[in-house]
Amino acid sequence: MLLRIGLRKKTSKWTALMTAAALAVAPMAALAQENKGPPILRDTESEQLLREYTRPILRAAGLEKQNIQMVIINESAFNAFVADGRRIFVNYGAIMQSETPNQIIGVLAHETGHLAGGHLAKMREQLAQAQTQMIIAMLLGAGAMVAGVRSGNSNNGLVNAGAAAVAGPQEMIRRTLISYVRQQEENADKAGVKFLTATGQSARGMYETFKRFTNDSLFAAHGADPYVQSHPMPAERVAALEELARSSPYWDKKDDPALQMRHDMVRAKISAFMERQDTVYRRYPMSNTSLPARYAHAITTYLHGDLRSAIAQIDGLIQLQPGNPYFYELRGQALLEGGKPAEAIAPLRKAVQLSNNAPLIEMMLGQALVATDNKAYAEEAISILRAAVARETEAPLGYTQLAMAYGRKGDYAEADLASAQAAYLRGDNKTARDLASRAKTRFAIGTPGWVKADDIVSAKPLPGQKNN
């Protein structure tokens, strides 16, 4: 189930000369534009693969107990970054452009190096210092310019001195920050190679990825790839990385063929869901009968309206791999979105079973049960959806479907509460408060439902959100 989900809105007003430095470990707020955060993609198969890629690296870094989450960003450019010490963000473009697991694993190892090195907190300190210096410089410069203007000659030396007082420190601070970022990047390179070696993996992929950016001369170009902008890569850094990577006894180690196949399957899935139909068929022409190509063809066929043909293709995939939960998930999704929710239930049940109760797939099963408009399914849908949102707390879809299930049952207090929780997760604070306020009138005072509704009514918006 590939879903596009908007991130909760955050804002930031970083100064232009801090941007190049800040992006290396930027919070999501720094990536927001006009109060709109980049949407994220949710997909059990893709997220599970990334978790498996990072698990041994996090263990080697001593971060296995930190519950680091993988978040896929709906952006086609190659980018990956850490932001808050709890998540590694990866553009889907980074997965698409990584031809081997080792290439994306190398990038993830590098980002883990930032987490393990505490670079986020250190960068905040540097930015705070730079901001203080900037304010002082600007005040001194502005004071000189004001004095010059008051003298009646806007072109006199005092005004020019004031302008220089502002421009000079800005450039110095910019250079200091960029130098600091480069040092962090070099440290993350070393840490990444160390983690890869400790887990018996090659650092060749990391080197190949960084070298590709350097060869393409992206860093200095207008519209350069954001990964290169936020990870400065002078030639000497790449050379140092190559020497370090080649010193590993695992330099020539290849990816396991089964892992390569899973990687190729996820890339085919992302291509089919995210790229134009003609682009998908250029990547995977009909003459290509590999499993990833057939996966892409089946998804593209259902997305573009030929449900019967798509189901036939998906059934062919299931015959090849009857234990693959994501083929059953795809079958259920195609039927559900094709207006056949009752027929979607059986394959989605199978997908839930085979995936060890993956929450996102449970949510789709709950959606199918609700969409049948059969009240007999209401209790089952509520049970499944409650279990799903308990383990996947940041997916509005689960609460939206839960609200509908409660509505089918006639439990309007719980329906209002679930709707309020969905609105809150979407960042729609006004709707969340309105629904939660109504839910409070339906619950007995002091009951768990009343308390949860009161929490939403009283909740303060996140930084940058409007409390409207």
Side-chain angles (χ1 to χ4, degrees), residues 403 406-418 438-439 442-443:
Y406 276 122
R408 294 274 190 273
K409 185 183 175 184
D411 189 340
Y412 300 116
E414 290 286 1
D416 280 344
L417 176 58
R438 190 169 71 185
R442 299 181 187 274
F443 286 109

Side-chain angles (χ1 to χ4, degrees), residues 242-263:
E242 179 182 14
E243 181 178 358
L244 190 63
R246 284 185 179 275
S247 67
S248 167
Y250 305 106
W251 168 261
D252 290 320
K253 186 175 180 179
K254 303 296 184 183
D255 288 308
D256 181 83
L259 190 63
Q260 180 69 57
M261 174 57 71
R262 291 179 60 196
H263 185 79

Side-chain angles (χ1 to χ4, degrees), residues 301-425:
T301 301
Y302 115 70
L303 287 176
H304 293 277
D306 191 346
L307 181 60
R308 180 178 297 181
S309 177
I311 293 300
Q313 292 179 48
I314 296 168
D315 287 343
L317 294 173
I318 290 173
Q319 288 179 359
L320 291 172
Q321 290 190 351
N324 189 324
Y326 309 115
F327 292 163
Y328 291 98
E329 178 193 24
L330 180 60
R331 194 180 202 280
Q333 183 173 359
L335 289 166
L336 178 60
E337 295 180 6
K340 300 179 181 296
E343 295 179 38
I345 293 173
L348 288 174
R349 287 193 200 279
K350 187 70 172 178
V352 167
Q353 175 194 348
L354 291 172
S355 67
N356 194 26
N357 296 61
L360 293 179
I361 302 179
E362 285 184 322
M363 289 179 192
M364 185 180 288
L365 173 57
Q367 183 178 3
L369 292 167
V370 171
T372 62
D373 205 19
N374 185 341
K375 290 184 179 180
Y377 284 133
E379 283 293 346
E380 182 184 2
I382 289 170
S383 176
I384 291 170
L385 290 165
R386 284 180 66 89
V389 299
R391 288 179 291 124
E392 180 55 68
T393 59
E394 297 184 6
L397 173 67
Y399 286 103
T400 299
Q401 296 304 317
L402 187 58
M404 295 177 67
Y406 276 122
R408 294 274 190 273
K409 185 183 175 184
D411 189 340
Y412 300 116
E414 290 286 1
D416 280 344
L417 176 58
S419 294
Q421 290 169 307
Y424 181 75
L425 288 173

Side-chain angles (χ1 to χ4, degrees), residues 100-138:
T100 66
N102 188 245
Q103 290 176 355
I104 191 68
I105 289 171
V107 172
L108 296 174
H110 171 91
E111 298 306 327
T112 301
H114 282 303
L115 291 175
H119 294 170
L120 295 172
K122 294 175 184 177
M123 174 57 78
R124 291 190 190 103
E125 293 176 4
Q126 290 289 318
L127 290 172
Q129 293 174 14
Q131 193 172 28
T132 300
Q133 295 174 47
M134 183 64 61
I135 291 172
I136 294 171
M138 292 182 69

Side-chain angles (χ1 to χ4, degrees), residues 72-90:
I72 303 174
I73 302 293
N74 182 13
E75 290 290 344
S76 61
F78 194 113
N79 202 9
F81 55 94
V82 293
D84 57 4
R86 296 190 307 113
R87 302 174 179 90
I88 298 177
F89 295 85
V90 182

